[in-house]
Amino acid sequence: MTFVFTPPTQPSVAVEDSDDRFPVRRIFCVGRNYAAHAREMGKDPDREPPFFFTKPADAVCDSGTAVSYPPLTENFHHEIELVVAVGAEAHNLSVADALSAVWGYGVGIDLTRRDLQLQARDMGRPWDWGKSFDQSAPCGPLHRGHLAALDSAKISLSVNGEVRQTSELRSLIWSVPEIVSLCSAAVVLKPGDLIFTGTPDGVSAVSPGDTLVGSVDGLQEIAISIL
Ligand code: MN
C-alpha cells in the first residue's frame, strides 16, 4: 500500500526530563469547568453536566513556540488549563477507576478566538472556528504518573510578567476523575488522547509581542510568545 502523498508528521508533545515524545491522537476540551469563569462568560455555574469540544491533534504545539496571531479575530484569548494525557484504551470507566487510564499531566493553553466563539455560541452554531485552529493547543512537557497534589495545586498564567489568571485545581467544578469518566462514556478513549480540563477566570486578550507563562504546581511551566 502506498499513500498518494507523504503522510503528515505525527503530532506530539514533549515529555518532562526525556527525549521521548507523547504522540497525540485527539484533543478534547471541557467548557466552563470553573465557576468564576462561567460567571465571567455570562453563564450560571450550577453543576450542569460538563460539555466537551475538540481541537485537531495537530493544533498541539510545544512550550517555546512562537504562536502566529491567528486570522479572523480581534479578540485572541488565553485559557490556562490542566491537561490530562490518556495512556490506555478506556470505555465507560467509573469515576473510581478513571485515573487508571491517565498516563500523565501537563500545562496547556486553550487559545481561543473569543469573538468567533461568542458569535457562534449566541447563534447556536458550532464553536470550531473559535476554538479549533492552527497552534490553538500549546502544551508544556508532560509529567508521567500522577500529580501528588491534584487537589491543592495552584494554576496560574501571566502575560508579560503580570498575573492574569490564578486559581486552584480544587475549584474545578468537575474533577479530573469525573471528566475522564464522562469522556470515556461518550467515546472510547485511546492512548494519545489529551483532555484540556477547563480554565479559571481571568481570561483576556493577547497581542503580537506578548509572552505568556502558565503553571500548575508540580508540573513544568509552559511559555509561549505571540508573533
Ligand atoms: Mn478552555
Side-chain angles (χ1 to χ4, degrees):
M1 195 270 292
T2 343
F3 292 111
V4 295
F5 52 81
T6 306
T9 309
Q10 169 66 51
S12 64
V13 184
V15 173
E16 178 186 287
D17 301 328
S18 171
D19 292 331
D20 294 344
R21 311 257 321 155
F22 182 91
V24 175
R25 182 167 187 270
R26 293 175 295 190
I27 302 174
F28 300 99
C29 305
V30 183
R32 293 197 290 269
N33 202 22
Y34 289 80
H37 175 63
R39 280 189 215 103
E40 77 178 351
M41 289 288 108
K43 296 295 177 185
D44 182 348
D46 273 357
R47 212 163 182 265
E48 59 176 356
F51 62 92
F52 293 83
F53 59 91
T54 62
K55 294 177 185 256
D58 67 358
V60 80
C61 55
D62 283 310
S63 181
T65 297
V67 172
S68 295
Y69 194 96
L72 305 182
T73 185
E74 295 177 348
N75 199 15
F76 183 38
H77 274 206
H78 55 78
E79 297 190 354
I80 186 69
E81 311 206 357
L82 173 71
V83 177
V84 177
V86 174
E89 184 166 316
H91 187 43
N92 280 332
L93 283 171
S94 67
V95 173
D97 290 339
L99 294 184
S100 66
V102 174
W103 186 91
Y105 297 89
V107 183
I109 305 176
D110 168 14
L111 290 173
T112 301
R113 294 190 285 207
R114 188 72 68 201
D115 39 5
L116 298 189
Q117 183 216 357
L118 295 183
Q119 184 181 59
R121 185 190 76 181
D122 294 344
M123 296 178 83
R125 290 177 178 168
W127 283 15
D128 300 48
W129 261 205
K131 288 290 195 179
S132 310
F133 50 92
D134 299 334
Q135 299 181 301
S136 61
C139 185
L142 298 179
H143 169 81
R144 184 172 195 161
H146 293 296
L147 261 184
L150 192 55
D151 288 327
S152 59
K154 288 190 167 50
I155 180 169
S156 68
L157 180 137
S158 65
V159 178
N160 303 329
E162 175 193 324
V163 177
R164 298 268 182 95
Q165 294 189 267
T166 180
S167 188
E168 296 177 337
L169 296 183
R170 67 161 62 94
S171 295
L172 283 164
I173 296 173
W174 295 88
S175 69
V176 167
E178 287 172 328
I179 290 164
V180 173
S181 170
L182 285 159
C183 203
S184 81
V187 296
V188 179
L189 287 173
K190 294 284 183 74
D193 289 340
L194 297 180
I195 306 174
F196 281 58
T197 57
T199 197
D201 60 317
V203 300
S204 68
V206 293
S207 304
D210 286 346
T211 297
L212 287 62
V213 177
S215 65
V216 172
D217 288 344
L219 299 176
Q220 288 193 0
E221 284 185 347
I222 182 172
I224 61 168
S225 57
I226 309 298
L227 272 184

